[in-house]
Amino acid sequence: MIITVVGGHGQIARRLTRLLTADGHTVRALVRDPAQLDDVAADGAEGVVCDIEDAAADVEAAVAGSDALVFAAGAGPGSGPERKVTVDQQGVERTVAAAEARGVGRYVVVSAMGAGDPPDDDEVFSVYLRAKAEADRIALASSLDVTVVRPGGLTDDPGTGQVTVGADVGRGEIPRDDVAAVLAAVLVDGTTIGHTFEVVGGPTPVAEAVAEVAAVPEDEA
Ligand SMILES: NC(=O)c1ccc[n+]([C@@H]2O[C@H](COP(=O)([O-])OP(=O)(O)OC[C@H]3O[C@@H](n4cnc5c(N)ncnc54)[C@H](OP(=O)(O)O)[C@@H]3O)[C@@H](O)[C@H]2O)c1
């Protein structure tokens, strides 16, 4: 497959690129800073400069020709409420529209635990979760084959290859390595299409856990 990763220089994104290219896929990494092109090339990706907050960016051209798109961008912990909307929400909205326009077909969202029931106060984290929730809703309402992955707290611990998935798995952490492995498995497992699930560290091998996703009750996700 040709897989476009939005936010291609992100910590999960780079791990995902290395897994996908090792499996023989072609990865196009969208980055917003040209200085990041060498890093993504070293991961095995074709780097393309595309800032999803830049009105002048040709997002359609950046995604054209791919079979699948993974949204792994995020405004990040230091950002304020405005960028939660412009990156985490509108970035999905914009790339979903571009994927629809260019027939990309498959779309996988890196969402977040808590987006299923976001608080309604003005804390930045609450704004972030509402932006994620709206992004997930927009993606799922599109014509694309969508899977929404909601990880718990991310760590840089080495991956274990084992996770727990479910509609509501309870608070927990997960190494970025394992999130990347879940995303790689989701991309090749069509039974996850149309599903939303949380994921944290746990006892189940990734491929086995991802194969259980279709049984996650949607009304609880
Ligand atoms: N932290 C957690 O515990 C947690 C838990 C659950 C889910 N998540 C979600 O998981 C996502 C991925 O995590 P991560 O650790 O891989 O994040 P990360 O390392 O911060 O990666 C996010 C990437 O998005 C890029 N980006 C930001 N604005 C952009 C724009 N306008 N156009 C294009 N790219 C842009 C960033 O680029 P720059 O390098 O240029 O800034 C960065 O490379 C997070 O953003 C968050 O939404 C996080």
Side-chain angles (χ1 to χ4, degrees):
M1 282 196 287
I2 300 174
I3 298 153
T4 293
V5 181
V6 184
H9 195 265
Q11 298 166 87
I12 291 175
R14 295 191 65 189
R15 288 162 167 83
L16 176 63
T17 292
R18 292 191 285 263
L19 292 179
L20 292 174
T21 54
D23 282 346
H25 299 290
T26 297
V27 175
R28 190 183 301 162
L30 306 195
V31 302
R32 61 177 177 157
D33 180 355
Q36 296 169 339
L37 290 171
D38 286 348
D39 285 343
V40 298
D43 295 333
E46 171 207 353
V48 173
V49 177
C50 180
D51 181 340
I52 53 173
E53 293 171 277
D54 179 355
D58 190 344
V59 180
E60 282 191 25
V63 308
S66 352
D67 302 301
L69 193 152
V70 177
F71 188 90
S79 59
E82 296 81 9
R83 293 196 66 238
K84 305 304 183 193
V85 175
T86 57
V87 181
D88 294 275
Q89 180 180 321
Q90 294 172 350
V92 168
E93 193 167 6
R94 199 171 176 194
T95 51
V96 162
E100 284 183 314
R102 295 304 181 105
V104 172
R106 185 83 169 99
Y107 193 100
V108 177
V109 191
V110 181
S111 181
M113 179 177 286
D117 186 20
D120 58 10
D121 60 68
D122 293 333
E123 294 294 322
V124 174
F125 191 66
S126 303
V127 174
Y128 162 72
L129 288 178
R130 289 200 297 278
K132 284 293 199 192
E134 183 61 9
D136 297 351
R137 191 195 61 73
I138 289 165
L140 288 164
S142 74
S143 62
L144 305 174
D145 290 335
V146 173
T147 306
V148 175
V149 181
R150 292 179 171 161
L154 304 175
T155 76
D156 290 330
D157 294 342
T160 66
Q162 295 179 314
V163 296
T164 293
V165 304
D168 180 4
V169 297
R171 288 172 80 102
E173 295 187 332
I174 179 169
R176 288 179 170 87
D177 283 349
D178 288 332
V179 177
V182 166
L183 295 170
V186 161
L187 280 164
V188 296
D189 187 336
T191 69
T192 63
I193 291 170
H195 292 279
T196 298
F197 66 96
E198 293 185 348
V199 59
V200 292
T204 311
V206 164
E208 203 179 304
V210 166
E212 290 171 4
V213 162
V216 171
E218 288 300 307
D219 56 346
E220 291 175 25

